[in-house]
């Protein structure tokens, strides 16, 4: 185990330890450096960087975090949603186009279709598409890019919350309320509706049967 700030073993030793070629090792180091996890310097070698240097919007980093310890990622996803989505919904009600509303309705219809099947296949993907469409409908390109950047974290959060009994059935009317508010230009109602969804999701995550008890705190 190499701790933050410590150098990795020299290339030949590390390649031998991992059972990979030097070329494959170099590519892996280059990829991890691009994610902010390693720093390579000619004289000091390659060192492990602490988490504050990592690119936490990187899809691989998000997946590794949810596999290793889902608690921080779930908590931080909820916090980010509370900060971003209510204002995005407000902007969507003020700026959305007819195509934006159609995209929201298509995602909602996909959620409803998936929810009607016993195994609910595709529900999480449809839910994620709805929230990406909402960020796109804000008319702010940075918010739209953020939605695509955190897609892995959103899907993980939805996969956990949707396993709580009654969560899917309760979420559909709330999502429908967002679309209706956006369509009629009611910014306050759209913001309130998404805030309610986020609060419900946090309660559902706390009760989800797919997380071990220590992961719910």
């Amino acid at each position: 185990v190499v701790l933050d700030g410590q150098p990795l073993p020299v290339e030949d030793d590390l390649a031998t330890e991992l059972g990979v070629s030097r070329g494959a090792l170099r590519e892996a180091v280059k990829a991890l450096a691009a994610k902010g996890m390693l720093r390579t310097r000619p004289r000091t070698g390659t060192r492990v960087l602490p988490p504050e240097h990592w690119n936490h919007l990187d899809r691989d980093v998000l997946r590794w975090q949810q596999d290793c310890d889902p608690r921080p990622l779930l908590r931080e996803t909820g916090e980010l949603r509370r900060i971003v989505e209510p204002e995005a919904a407000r902007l969507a009600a003020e700026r959305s186009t007819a195509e934006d509303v159609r995209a929201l309705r298509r995602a909602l219809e996909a959620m409803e279709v998936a929810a009607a099947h016993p195994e609910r296949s595709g529900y999480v993907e449809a839910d994620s598409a709805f929230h990406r469409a909402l960020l796109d409908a804000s008319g702010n390109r940075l918010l739209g890019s953020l939605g695509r950047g955190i897609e892995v974290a959103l899907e993980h959060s939805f996969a956990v919350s949707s396993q709580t009994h009654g969560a899917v059935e309760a979420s559909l009317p709330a999502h429908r309320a967002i679309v209706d508010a956006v369509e009629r230009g009611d910014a306050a109602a759209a913001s309130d509706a998404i805030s309610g969804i986020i609060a419900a999701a946090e309660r559902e995550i706390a009760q989800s049967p797919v997380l071990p008890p220590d992961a719910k705190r």
Side-chain angles (χ1 to χ4, degrees):
V1 177
V2 181
L3 301 177
D4 295 347
Q6 293 185 338
L8 293 179
V10 296
E11 186 177 88
D12 286 343
D13 291 346
L14 186 56
T16 300
E17 180 182 338
L18 297 175
V20 298
S21 68
R22 292 175 63 185
L25 179 63
R26 288 171 184 165
E27 288 301 313
V29 167
K30 191 182 302 182
L32 292 174
K35 299 176 191 299
M37 304 179 82
L38 299 176
R39 176 178 293 155
T40 301
R41 293 289 185 268
R43 293 174 183 261
T44 59
T46 300
R47 293 182 178 271
V48 176
L49 294 178
E52 56 264 30
H53 290 271
W54 301 358
N55 177 8
H56 290 280
L57 295 181
D58 182 272
R59 296 176 70 88
D60 290 329
V61 174
L62 288 170
R63 288 194 182 96
W64 294 334
Q65 288 184 82
Q66 72 188 41
D67 289 340
C68 294
D69 186 357
R71 291 171 295 178
L73 180 58
L74 288 166
R75 182 187 68 250
E76 291 168 357
T77 300
E79 291 170 351
L80 181 63
R81 294 184 67 197
R82 287 201 304 272
I83 294 167
V84 170
E85 286 194 285
E87 182 60 23
R90 185 181 298 277
L91 290 173
E94 296 170 352
R95 300 175 175 176
S96 62
T97 65
E99 179 51 38
D100 289 329
V101 175
R102 284 193 290 270
L104 285 168
R105 290 211 178 276
R106 284 195 298 269
L108 176 59
E109 289 168 4
M111 290 172 66
E112 292 170 338
V113 169
H117 289 282
E119 66 279 5
R120 290 176 175 156
S121 176
Y123 180 84
V124 168
E125 292 81 0
D127 198 358
S128 181
F130 181 96
H131 290 269
R132 292 197 311 274
L134 181 64
L135 293 174
D136 284 335
S138 72
N140 184 305
R141 292 174 296 180
L142 297 180
L143 287 177
S145 293
L146 177 63
R148 288 177 285 280
I150 64 171
E151 181 179 10
V152 171
L154 287 177
E155 289 189 350
H156 179 228
S157 178
F158 298 156
V160 172
S161 64
S162 63
Q163 294 302 308
T164 298
H165 179 71
V168 170
E169 292 80 5
S171 75
L172 293 175
H175 282 79
R176 194 175 303 112
I178 292 174
V179 181
D180 292 342
V182 168
E183 187 169 35
R184 67 175 182 268
D186 190 335
S191 181
D192 288 346
I194 191 65
S195 294
I197 286 176
I198 296 166
E202 291 178 333
R203 292 192 298 270
E204 290 154 3
I205 287 171
Q207 301 168 16
S208 178
V210 301
L211 287 180
D214 65 338
K216 298 177 185 178
R217 294 195 294 270

